[in-house]
Amino acid sequence: MSTGLYIHIPFCVSKCAYCDFYSLACGKNGQNELKSAYTASLCRQSKLWGKIYGRPSIQSIYIGGGTPTILPTKQLTDIIANIKSSFDISPNAEFTVEANPATFDSDKLKALKNAGVNRLSIGMQSANDNELKLLSRIHSENDTERSFAVARECGFDNISLDIMYGIPDQTTDSFKRTLYKAVSLSPEHISVYGLQLEPGTRLFNNQSLYAFPEEDCEAEMNGLAQIILESSGYRRYEISNYSLPGRECAHNLLYWNGMEYLGLGTGACSYRDRRRFRVITDIKSYCASQDFTDVTKTDEILTEEDAAKEYIMLRLRLCRGLELKKLYSITPNAEKYLSRARGFIKAGFIEENGGYIRFTPKGFNVSNTLLSEILF
Amino acid sequence: MTERQFRIRNFSIIAHIDHGKSTLADRLLEETHTVTSREMEEQLLDSMELERERGITIKARAVRMKYLHSDGNEYTLNLIDTPGHVDFNYEVSRSLNACEGALLIVDATQGVEAQTLANAYLAIDAGLEVIPVVNKIDLPSADIDRARNEVEEVIGIPAEGCPAVSAKTGQNIVDVLEAIIEQIPAPKGDENAPLKALIFDSYYDPYLGVVVIVRVMDGAVRTGDKIKMMSTGAVFEVTDVGYLEPFGLSASEALSAGEVGYLTASIKTLSETSVGDTITLADAPADKPLPGFKKVQPMVYSGIYPEDGAKYEDLRDALVKLQLNDAALSYEPETSTALGFGFRCGFLGLLHMEIIQQRIEREFNLDIITTAPSVIYKIELRDGSSVFIDNPSKYPPQDEIGQAYEPMVKASIITPPDYVGGIMELCQERRGTFKDMKYLDASRTELHYTLPLNEIIYDFFDALKSRSKGYASLDYELIGYFPSKLVKLDFLLNGEMVDALSFIVHEEKAYPRGRQIAQKLKENIPRALFEIPIQACIGGKVIARETVKAMRKDVLAKCYGGDITRKKKLLEKQKEGKKKMRRLGSVEVTPEAFMAVLKFDDENR
């Protein structure tokens, strides 16, 4: 059984208006002591968990944040070296680092490349500076372009760009501009996220101050993304993800296939033996912890049925859909879920063929409603 | 008149809501040592809710006090409380008939108000001796002379030298007691004549059964007597009679002509003791009942449904219990295809309806959906017969109707002159006919309108308040049925009629109301996977149309390792939210949407 590894770096230059991930805003070079302490703690956890979980074989590694590239190069390479010695990393494992434009230079990227990182995920978000400002991103359109060029120069041949729709004041035209700009850089992978208002974020708390695009407009943007990206050679393989053939994100596929994963660092989540657990979001306690049992809490322990529901929920995110044979093998209630799902075929939300059942593009747009009906 | 009768005074207090009726009652109880101030304080502390509901701090609606007059004799004073709202006009009139006099409280800072006026006239019409009492003289803006003048001018009763008090501080309270004894006549009535006792209140007690509150007009009643309700002929055996004390009942041998008290007779339900009915002795009955009895008829009807269909039995229990103490509430089972099983309930008026709805929600902890309130229409059919309609679903097809009639009221509105324009406009919009306008004084104008009852049952009072910054007051009484052009307005969702949304409306109002409600439905029906057409129809004719567009986007953009548990729970919650929705045909509507559709605000009319 292959396992994924996630490492969380909870530091940012500044906090983005929409982000609900755990991170501390510390400017370009602040919190140096905390960063070193955190790095040391990550290395400790990596060693310990490698041992506890029996040096599992790792198929994909994802260092996310926060902004991982805000850490000094030495700390990043230390962490990576530690991971490599603690776990059994498969030779063809995908190894992604999230890199925000304007937070890295070629020296840092080269070092990462040398350490074994083979994929970058760059948070472009938008090609319009006023939209970037609204999201309180620290970079500009030009920064994206420059950073992308640096990444290529350093030899990264597998790069993903994140872009976003549903930003306040965004129009279909401005979103088109973002799409074309992304395509013009020729990344291997593009994630297209609808902005979600998460409780606790600045955007959520001040939502009345902003003009968010209407539901119909957002649906139109989402449709535009599919048309423009697919006509440019990208293939949609998941609700929010497009890639060139063979360049799907292995790490994310692992989540959607119900595989196991371990998460290191504050807020990082793990799933193993039907137990989902996470490290609490308290960096001081994390840095002080010796065996990490005091900073780990269980989200839930899944029953067979919970796991089956999750599997349906996650697999239906994929364009390939849900394999009927597999569903029958994991739950005695397969028929119940399938008959509910089949109720949506006639209206064009779901289709079934080749032993698979899947959402149509129309179904993807309203997948929450459909899933809540199918699962519960 | 006997010596005993000579020392009795029966009176009530008439006041506008916040003019200090309960405070004055409290002071009278204290001054007569019926209740000590310590008891009063304790009572005040734990009866706040009750006080708000009943407007008086004593538990009974009538209470007996003893007062040693300056002439050296002890007098019995029976204070009879009256409800203050226009919905309860009939109860007020019966309570007044149990008295020989009334205190009319006038606020020294505000003067006479519409509701005071209406009740004052009821008292004068009932032949009562009305004693004005100017209250709140402790306030800096008090103007005693002006208040007295107003009473003389507006109500037309002498007020010179009337008591001027502060119920709050207790100043001059003795003047009130002296005036009661000197000015209010002692009760007349023949102790040896056949029994005639007026029922003016009753309540249900789980141990005693129904406790009937009466004023004995003639004769006497004793424990063991066989009594007869003159309106129904029902006979009961008296188990107990006595007087009403502030904190309970005090048994006595008999209640005789002129006295106020209670009797119990193993009566099971309130419906057997109608307010206004006359009690007599079964063996030696009076030849005719006291005048003025009428069976209380609900004026407003609405459907009440449990929000959760499984709570139907709970709702029935709640209504059964509420009716034990509220004979004016009527209900019968009703089924709606949209809302399932519920009850068609009849109320005296809107306030009564709101009180009942709130008590169901608060005291019985039930979430309910109520349908639009409706008045009772009278329909003459082409075949010559006529029917009364309290439910839109029973409205006959238009081509069977010869002539429709709707109930009209005579409304009296008192307002500062600044708001007269806006209020006239409001009455106009509500199909009112202007009758006359009187300047009471520089600060108040009284307007008289004839208005259709169905135009004031929704939100007229709220609209009136909002157009007068809260200053205008309203009183109305039913004047009968008048010919009208009515239509039944239906609403279709996705081509299916939703019976719970139908209502009867004047032809003139049908188009704008149809459009507004279609619009409101559109705003309040959540987008679903399918487009939902909304149509407003009269008969088969569509008069307004809206569409709830299909849901276009409801998707979790990201769902990675750390999100899965939370997102799964969100989906489960989403489904639970849906279970709370009401299925109207193929469309699901939140209960909130239902209420929003039923509530009209002034601007939306």
Side-chain angles (χ1 to χ4, degrees):
Chain A
M1 185 115 172
S2 56
T3 299
L5 192 61
Y6 176 80
I7 297 103
H8 191 71
I9 309 297
F11 301 102
C12 285
V13 174
S14 67
K15 191 91 187 149
C16 296
Y18 59 90
C19 178
D20 72 334
F21 283 106
Y22 178 64
S23 87
L24 306 168
C26 50
K28 285 228 177 221
N29 295 305
Q31 295 282 17
N32 285 326
E33 269 171 47
L34 196 59
K35 282 174 185 166
S36 340
Y38 186 78
T39 301
S41 209
L42 262 185
C43 294
R44 253 194 342 269
Q45 191 190 8
S46 155
K47 265 189 205 122
L48 191 70
W49 281 28
K51 220 179 284 166
I52 290 176
Y53 295 108
R55 224 179 124 76
S57 161
I58 300 296
Q59 294 303 308
S60 73
I61 305 169
Y62 197 102
I63 303 185
T67 304
T69 40
I70 200 178
L71 285 188
T73 306
K74 176 76 173 49
Q75 289 179 14
L76 284 170
T77 51
D78 280 355
I79 292 167
I80 294 170
N82 218 283
I83 290 166
K84 283 180 155 173
S85 66
S86 310
F87 296 89
D88 173 21
I89 313 290
S90 159
N92 52 5
E94 177 188 274
F95 192 162
T96 308
V97 169
E98 265 179 10
N100 282 330
T103 60
F104 57 82
D105 55 20
S106 62
D107 289 346
K108 190 173 274 180
L109 287 197
K110 275 177 194 151
L112 288 175
K113 185 96 186 30
N114 289 335
V117 175
N118 54 27
R119 187 172 180 272
L120 287 182
S121 170
I122 298 179
M124 168 180 175
Q125 314 311 358
S126 166
N128 303 287
D129 286 346
N130 52 343
E131 288 169 14
L132 289 169
K133 225 177 191 165
L134 227 149
L135 298 173
S136 42
R137 298 289 297 186
I138 53 160
H139 69 275
S140 66
E141 184 196 355
N142 286 337
D143 290 333
T144 303
E145 215 173 326
R146 249 193 320 270
S147 297
F148 193 89
V150 169
R152 284 290 193 228
E153 278 161 26
C154 295
F156 281 97
D157 61 0
N158 196 2
I159 302 178
S160 176
L161 291 177
D162 283 357
I163 61 173
M164 201 180 261
Y165 66 92
I167 303 167
D169 297 334
Q170 193 177 31
T171 62
T172 47
D173 278 348
S174 77
F175 182 58
K176 258 192 223 168
R177 209 177 102 79
T178 296
L179 283 165
Y180 283 124
K181 182 77 193 186
V183 167
S184 76
L185 295 173
S186 302
E188 283 66 35
H189 186 280
I190 299 176
S191 297
V192 184
Y193 297 123
L195 174 68
Q196 266 164 238
L197 278 180
E198 299 292 354
T201 60
R202 202 157 70 232
L203 222 47
F204 180 91
N205 292 334
N206 294 334
Q207 54 187 291
S208 60
L209 305 178
Y210 299 102
F212 291 93
E214 299 280 329
E215 179 179 338
D216 290 333
C217 179
E218 280 200 58
E220 202 182 323
M221 291 184 193
N222 202 13
L224 268 176
Q226 179 156 15
I227 292 165
I228 290 173
L229 297 180
E230 290 194 334
S231 67
S232 311
Y234 295 89
R235 225 174 44 187
R236 187 180 196 178
Y237 68 98
E238 193 255 0
I239 286 182
S240 307
N241 287 284
Y242 297 79
S243 78
L244 298 179
R247 300 295 197 137
E248 295 82 8
C249 173
H251 190 78
N252 289 339
L253 281 172
L254 183 131
Y255 292 133
W256 300 321
N257 279 310
M259 305 292 205
E260 297 194 331
Y261 46 91
L262 292 173
L264 306 178
T266 49
C269 188
S270 305
Y271 178 55
R272 203 176 154 90
D273 298 331
R274 285 221 209 107
R275 182 168 83 99
R276 187 166 289 111
F277 51 102
R278 66 174 69 228
V279 178
I280 60 169
T281 51
D282 176 346
I283 194 165
K284 294 261 160 64
S285 308
Y286 178 74
C287 291
S289 184
Q290 290 309 309
D291 65 358
F292 302 99
T293 54
D294 54 334
V295 292
T296 307
K297 71 171 180 59
T298 300
D299 277 5
E300 64 171 336
I301 293 169
L302 282 77
T303 62
E304 186 181 73
E305 203 51 29
D306 291 334
K309 280 181 178 162
E310 255 181 29
Y311 186 73
I312 297 170
M313 170 178 107
L314 295 167
R315 270 306 290 242
L316 281 176
R317 295 187 66 88
L318 297 175
C319 294
R320 194 156 171 225
L322 177 66
E323 194 186 2
L324 304 187
K325 223 166 37 189
K326 166 87 181 179
L327 185 64
Y328 278 106
S329 76
I330 59 169
T331 167
N333 297 318
E335 201 52 50
K336 177 176 80 182
Y337 300 121
L338 282 175
S339 75
R340 287 177 186 165
R342 284 176 180 136
F344 295 107
I345 291 179
K346 208 174 141 206
F349 293 110
I350 279 193
E351 60 184 26
E352 181 180 356
N353 55 40
Y356 280 79
I357 196 160
R358 66 180 72 84
F359 286 139
T360 61
K362 183 178 157 189
F364 272 144
N365 282 342
V366 292
S367 55
N368 284 354
T369 305
L370 297 171
L371 283 170
S372 74
E373 293 291 332
I374 294 168
L375 295 177
F376 299 101
Chain B
M1 193 184 295
T2 64
E3 180 67 16
R4 183 186 54 78
Q5 277 172 314
F6 189 74
R7 306 251 182 268
I8 297 175
R9 298 292 182 273
N10 297 318
F11 71 102
S12 64
I13 303 178
I14 296 167
H16 191 68
I17 277 165
D18 53 358
H19 285 187
K21 180 162 78 168
S22 55
T23 323
L24 180 63
D26 289 349
R27 287 295 91 71
L28 294 177
L29 292 175
E30 258 179 45
E31 192 66 39
T32 56
H33 310 292
T34 313
V35 176
T36 66
S37 55
R38 193 182 53 83
E39 285 171 325
M40 185 68 68
E41 232 164 79
E42 283 169 6
Q43 189 67 12
L44 266 175
L45 281 176
D46 54 55
S47 70
M48 293 311 278
E49 187 116 4
L50 200 77
E51 182 188 6
R52 269 196 298 272
E53 267 173 38
R54 290 196 164 171
I56 190 162
T57 45
I58 53 172
K59 275 195 175 140
R61 285 210 185 146
V63 67
R64 190 173 69 140
M65 300 176 264
K66 297 281 188 187
Y67 179 63
L68 189 63
H69 184 39
S70 44
D71 67 6
N73 292 309
E74 189 184 64
Y75 285 77
T76 298
L77 309 182
N78 290 309
L79 164 57
I80 293 167
D81 189 26
T82 55
H85 192 272
V86 37
D87 279 5
F88 305 104
N89 255 347
Y90 175 69
E91 276 85 347
V92 175
S93 77
R94 293 307 88 196
S95 294
L96 293 177
N97 270 296
C99 310
E100 279 74 32
L103 304 179
L104 172 69
I105 304 189
V106 181
D107 189 317
T109 66
Q110 289 184 48
V112 180
E113 312 249 347
Q115 224 154 70
T116 327
L117 201 57
N119 286 347
Y121 286 141
L122 277 178
I124 293 165
D125 290 349
L128 267 53
E129 180 67 36
V130 178
I131 304 172
V133 175
V134 178
N135 189 26
K136 301 199 185 177
I137 59 168
D138 56 310
L139 294 180
S141 56
D143 186 342
I144 300 172
D145 287 340
R146 189 197 134 203
R148 281 177 174 153
N149 282 340
E150 235 179 64
V151 171
E152 289 178 347
E153 277 170 36
V154 178
I155 304 176
I157 55 171
E160 200 188 339
C162 74
V165 306
S166 165
K168 199 173 135 200
T169 64
Q171 190 185 347
N172 300 342
I173 292 300
V174 174
D175 292 358
V176 178
L177 290 164
E178 296 284 314
I180 288 169
I181 289 160
E182 279 156 23
Q183 294 177 37
I184 296 177
K188 297 188 186 77
D190 183 352
E191 278 184 17
N192 302 311
L195 173 67
K196 276 187 188 177
L198 171 71
I199 302 178
F200 65 87
D201 195 11
S202 58
Y203 65 89
Y204 183 82
D205 180 285
Y207 301 105
L208 305 172
V210 175
V211 178
V212 189
I213 313 296
V214 294
R215 154 72 196 273
V216 180
M217 295 301 190
D218 282 321
V221 61
R222 291 175 181 78
T223 303
D225 281 351
K226 281 214 165 43
I227 52 165
K228 186 165 89 175
M229 305 292 168
M230 292 190 82
S231 73
T232 62
V235 173
F236 301 94
E237 189 179 320
V238 176
T239 51
D240 194 15
V241 296
Y243 302 112
L244 300 152
E245 305 295 347
F247 302 114
L249 307 174
S250 149
S252 77
E253 216 164 280
L255 281 179
S256 305
E259 293 187 313
V260 170
Y262 73 93
L263 64 85
T264 57
S266 305
I267 303 169
K268 299 270 184 316
T269 67
L270 277 191
S271 54
E272 292 170 284
T273 56
S274 307
V275 167
D277 200 357
T278 305
I279 295 176
T280 191
L281 292 178
D283 302 334
D287 55 348
K288 58 177 199 273
L290 297 161
F293 172 71
K294 62 179 182 186
K295 194 80 193 153
V296 179
Q297 294 295 343
M299 296 241 273
V300 178
Y301 282 82
S302 107
I304 297 186
Y305 292 82
E307 210 178 274
D308 173 357
K311 299 267 173 73
Y312 173 77
E313 286 302 327
D314 297 358
L315 178 59
R316 179 203 295 280
D317 287 351
L319 288 169
V320 167
K321 286 189 181 126
L322 287 172
Q323 203 189 37
L324 280 179
N325 263 320
D326 186 350
L329 166 69
S330 73
Y331 63 90
E332 59 182 74
E334 173 183 74
T335 332
S336 148
T337 46
L339 299 175
F341 293 100
F343 295 92
R344 189 86 195 151
C345 300
F347 310 96
L348 297 176
L350 270 203
L351 176 81
H352 188 215
M353 181 173 97
E354 275 172 34
I355 290 173
I356 296 293
Q357 287 169 358
Q358 280 176 12
R359 291 187 66 185
I360 292 173
E361 297 201 319
R362 272 197 239 143
E363 294 170 30
F364 298 91
N365 204 16
L366 282 170
D367 290 326
I368 51 173
I369 297 177
T370 53
T371 63
S374 172
V375 302
I376 306 169
Y377 298 95
K378 185 177 143 191
I379 309 293
E380 266 173 24
L381 299 170
R382 287 201 194 280
D383 66 11
S385 63
S386 62
V387 285
F388 285 91
I389 304 291
D390 64 18
N391 186 339
S393 68
K394 295 185 194 146
Y395 200 73
Q398 207 66 37
D399 57 7
E400 289 178 18
I401 295 173
Q403 177 64 55
Y405 297 84
E406 67 175 322
M408 302 289 281
V409 300
K410 192 176 88 187
S412 147
I413 298 163
I414 296 183
T415 173
D418 289 357
Y419 309 115
V420 164
I423 290 172
M424 290 180 84
E425 202 177 22
L426 173 69
C427 291
Q428 201 77 33
E429 286 164 15
R430 303 296 172 94
R431 300 190 285 126
T433 310
F434 175 77
K435 289 294 168 198
D436 58 49
M437 177 158 75
K438 272 195 275 193
Y439 292 95
L440 301 182
D441 61 32
S443 65
R444 276 157 336 115
T445 302
E446 184 180 12
L447 291 162
H448 285 116
Y449 269 88
T450 306
L451 279 156
L453 181 61
N454 87 351
E455 291 286 341
I456 60 175
I457 58 166
Y458 271 125
D459 59 343
F460 184 80
F461 197 60
D462 292 341
L464 186 67
K465 288 283 176 192
S466 86
R467 291 194 190 196
S468 65
K469 299 216 165 84
Y471 283 111
S473 54
L474 166 74
D475 181 59
Y476 63 84
E477 66 178 297
L478 203 58
I479 52 170
Y481 280 84
F482 290 79
S484 179
K485 287 182 174 165
L486 302 171
V487 292
K488 179 175 164 234
L489 194 53
D490 295 318
F491 292 87
L492 279 65
L493 295 183
N494 213 13
E496 289 172 69
M497 195 177 103
V498 180
D499 56 358
L501 291 175
S502 298
F503 58 91
I504 298 161
V505 61
H506 191 264
E507 196 183 54
E508 255 173 44
K509 294 290 183 76
Y511 277 76
R513 286 285 287 282
R515 271 198 301 276
Q516 278 157 13
I517 293 185
Q519 180 69 38
K520 275 214 148 186
L521 281 167
K522 181 188 169 179
E523 289 162 14
N524 282 288
I525 294 175
R527 285 182 170 202
L529 292 171
F530 311 91
E531 186 175 282
I532 304 166
I534 302 168
Q535 293 160 303
C537 301
I538 300 172
K541 191 173 151 217
V542 177
I543 61 159
R545 196 187 299 268
E546 293 283 349
T547 306
V548 180
K549 288 198 272 181
M551 176 197 296
R552 293 287 304 279
K553 189 179 164 287
D554 178 28
V555 57
L556 299 173
K558 285 185 185 183
C559 191
Y560 299 130
D563 310 321
I564 297 170
T565 296
R566 184 162 73 100
K567 304 275 155 122
K568 194 172 57 186
K569 282 183 182 149
L570 283 177
L571 290 177
E572 192 167 5
K573 232 169 127 186
Q574 185 169 354
K575 179 68 188 205
E576 268 159 22
K578 259 198 143 170
K579 282 185 189 148
K580 281 200 190 135
M581 292 203 229
R582 283 286 173 159
R583 238 192 143 73
L584 304 185
S586 52
V587 179
E588 277 157 331
V589 178
T590 58
E592 292 77 24
F594 231 96
M595 298 312 285
V597 169
L598 296 180
K599 281 227 149 64
F600 295 93
D601 26 308
D602 196 20
E603 295 89 278
N604 280 349
R605 304 259 323 192

